[in-house]
Structures are given as C-alpha cells and as structure tokens.
Amino acid sequence: LDVNNKTLEMYGFDDKSNIVGSFIGNISSGEKPYTIEDAGKWVRRAVEEGPQLFEWHAKDKKGRLFWVEVNLKKAVIGGKDRILAIVRDISERKKTEEALRESEDRFRNIFNNAMVGLYRTAPDGRVLIANPAILQMLGYESFGELVKRNLEKEGFEPSYSRSDFKERIETEGQVMGFESAWRRRDNAIVYIRESAWAIRDEFGNVLYYEGI
C-alpha cells in the first residue's frame, strides 16, 4: 500500500509507515468496520468490471468518522499492474445533502398538513402537485383522480377561463386574493379565494404555476 501526502493529511497520520498497517481497519461503513475481505471484493470488481465508485464512512487516526468517495481502477505504475484508489473527502457534500433532505421533509409535512389548498400546474393545464386540502375541497379521493383533469379544458369554470388566469399573471405578475368559483368533481360549485404566481426559468419561460 502506498499513499500520497494528501491521504496522510486526510486520515490524520504523520507518515506512510503508520497508515499502512491500519488503513483498512480505519474504514467503516458507519455501522461496522469493513474488513480486508470487503476491500478485496471491491478490488476484484475493479479488475474484472472496470472502475468502481464507492462512498463510505472513513475513520481517521483519532477515530473521527467522515465521508469519502473512492474511485478504484486498474493502472500501470512503475511498469506493474496496480489498483489506483482516488479518495475524496465528501463530508461537506453529505452535510448539504442531509440538510436538503431535512428541508424537503419539512416542506412535505407542511404541504400535506396545510389547512389551505396548495397546488402546482403546468402551462399546458396539467396538475403537477396538489395537497390533501385541495383534494378535499374539490371532492377527489386521490391525486390520481385529480390529474385526469386538464385545466386548459376544464376546472376553472364558470368564473373565469384558464386563459384569463394566465393573462392576469403575465400582465400583473401574480394573482392575489382573487375570488372565483371552481367546479367540484360532483359538479357542485365551491367558492374560493386564490393567490397564484408563475415560476420561470432563466430565460423567463414559465415552468409552472404555484397557488394557494
């Protein structure tokens, strides 16, 4: 086993002789240490199948766990066949991913438990997402039933057409507190107060509409 200075720094070792004997033992899955047999399997796959990319918890000299990404591949070094491992510390990326998951979970909880209806629709009239409050308001038992409804053809009658809705957002930038009547699944009328706006891409094209 040969390592460069960056690897020594990453794992907290002073010299190569110290890390060689304990490098494998300092690799951890987060639940249990990986074994030499595990490492052998990864090496064989790199030899037989080509480059392999793995992520795991590594453990440094002081026992601190941190995330690394390892790319294993065959290489010729010094005229001999070797396995080259490119190791990258991805701890910050993992923290960002975890924070994003937590944020998504919080949004999902708010979305699903909100007492007001929340929706997202495409410019062509497709319903992209709708929360349980919208389903209850419009008399649908599932989102699968609601998505069959295309708002370019139906859904906002009789108060205003879909084209009026889109024109208002284009000219005014948003619809705020607009009162209208929507038709429920059973054709009954429900009166609502709606606020909506457009989400656009970097070129100003409408990706979808969001509303409350």
Side-chain angles (χ1 to χ4, degrees), residues 1-3 8 13 15-25:
L1 177 66
D2 196 8
V3 298
L8 292 174
F13 286 88
D15 59 67
K16 195 178 305 183
S17 61
N18 289 329
I19 196 173
V20 168
S22 57
F23 183 75
I24 297 299

Side-chain angles (χ1 to χ4, degrees), residues 20 60 72 98-99 112-113 121 130 150 175 190:
V20 168
D60 67 13
L72 292 179
E98 180 61 28
N112 289 332
N113 295 305
T121 62
N150 189 299
V175 173
V190 56

Side-chain angles (χ1 to χ4, degrees), residues 36-50 52 72 74 83:
I36 293 178
E37 288 74 18
D38 292 324
K41 292 177 183 177
W42 300 330
V43 170
R44 285 193 295 273
R45 288 178 60 182
V47 171
E48 297 169 1
E49 302 174 17
Q52 301 291 315
L72 292 179
K74 290 173 58 179
I83 292 295

Side-chain angles (χ1 to χ4, degrees), residues 62-165:
K62 295 182 180 180
R64 179 184 68 92
L65 289 175
F66 61 101
W67 279 101
V68 294
E69 176 187 85
V70 180
N71 187 350
L72 292 179
K73 61 181 181 179
K74 290 173 58 179
V76 178
I77 302 175
K80 297 181 179 180
D81 290 338
R82 294 286 187 264
I83 292 295
L84 179 65
I86 301 173
V87 183
R88 186 163 63 96
D89 187 336
I90 57 171
S91 300
E92 289 304 315
R93 193 193 80 193
K94 285 294 186 179
K95 289 179 182 178
T96 301
E97 291 174 352
E98 180 61 28
L100 180 59
R101 279 193 294 270
E102 291 177 357
S103 177
E104 289 174 344
D105 288 342
R106 287 194 295 270
F107 170 78
R108 189 176 298 108
N109 288 333
I110 293 172
F111 182 82
N112 289 332
N113 295 305
M115 301 301 292
V116 296
L118 303 172
Y119 69 79
R120 179 180 292 172
T121 62
D124 62 8
R126 290 175 295 119
V127 180
L128 301 177
I129 61 174
N131 71 340
I134 281 277
L135 299 180
Q136 182 179 12
M137 189 185 308
L138 297 179
Y140 289 88
E141 295 183 1
S142 70
F143 179 71
E145 293 180 343
L146 179 61
V147 295
K148 297 176 182 178
R149 187 172 180 173
N150 189 299
L151 302 178
E152 290 290 306
K153 303 173 182 177
E154 59 180 346
F156 282 98
E157 71 280 10
S159 294
Y160 64 88
S161 67
R162 176 73 168 176
S163 59
D164 289 339
F165 167 83

